[in-house]
Amino acid sequence: MGHMKYASDVGAPVEVAFTYTDNHQFVPDWAFAVAAFEPLGDSDHGAGTVFAATLRVGLWHPTVECEITDYRRNAVIEYTLRRRRTGKSAQAQRGGAAQSAAVDSAADVQDTGACCSPLCVITLRFDPLGYGRAVLTSETEYWTPRGLTGRLLSRMLAAAVQSAVRRTESQLRREIEEFHGTDLVGRIA
């Protein structure tokens, strides 16, 4: 398993940064390689919400499930990306009940089975910095293949994940600052 963490200063208050990030319609604008991000149920935010994320990786366009596994208003949004089982969402595979945000990732892996094991967990934390600014901390945990293949590809995979996390964090920061400078949040630049 790999782990990466980045923190950056965002030119917007925590409430604005969180509001922008919490809107699923904006995810393709800031998330690296995400072409579409659509809710699979009635809810479009909060813990337990499941999305179908269509990725854009060269000519390959897989769809994975992305569940919000930790959600604290104006503080944390945690996304868990899982392989998608054709025709079923992770929520349906667990019997239709959304798991609470308190469920630990290891138990989540055991509950969902091998077909829905996590590919990665992305945690976005928002902390006030003062003077209308915030600190955005992006933390990513990802799973590498096991065995000889995993060992051979681990460095290449780590470099690719690091590049994707940096691009995502940088783009999210720019998008939040642009969003903050518009009438959408009641402030004119």
Side-chain angles (χ1 to χ4, degrees), residues 43-64:
S43 178
D44 65 355
H45 69 281
T49 302
V50 179
F51 297 91
T54 303
L55 305 178
R56 183 180 50 232
V57 183
L59 296 175
W60 187 43
H61 298 267
T63 300
V64 297

Side-chain angles (χ1 to χ4, degrees), residues 84-116:
R84 186 165 186 193
R85 186 174 182 183
T86 307
K88 291 189 177 184
S89 70
Q91 201 171 11
Q93 292 172 20
R94 286 192 297 263
Q99 291 183 334
S100 71
V103 173
D104 128 341
S105 296
D108 198 25
V109 171
Q110 293 170 358
D111 288 345
T112 58
C115 69
C116 294

Side-chain angles (χ1 to χ4, degrees), residues 63-102:
T63 300
V64 297
E65 287 189 348
C66 180
E67 180 179 3
I68 297 177
T69 50
D70 190 1
Y71 183 90
R72 287 175 268 154
R73 185 93 181 124
N74 295 331
V76 175
I77 299 177
E78 180 179 85
Y79 299 100
T80 300
L81 277 71
R82 295 187 180 93
R83 292 180 188 96
R84 186 165 186 193
R85 186 174 182 183
T86 307
K88 291 189 177 184
S89 70
Q91 201 171 11
Q93 292 172 20
R94 286 192 297 263
Q99 291 183 334
S100 71

Side-chain angles (χ1 to χ4, degrees), residues 10-11 13-14 17 19 27 40 52 61 66 83 87 102 106-107 139 145 148 151 176 187:
V10 178
V14 167
T19 299
V27 172
L40 292 177
H61 298 267
C66 180
R83 292 180 188 96
E139 194 169 351
L148 181 60
R151 286 192 298 257
I176 289 170
R187 178 175 172 228

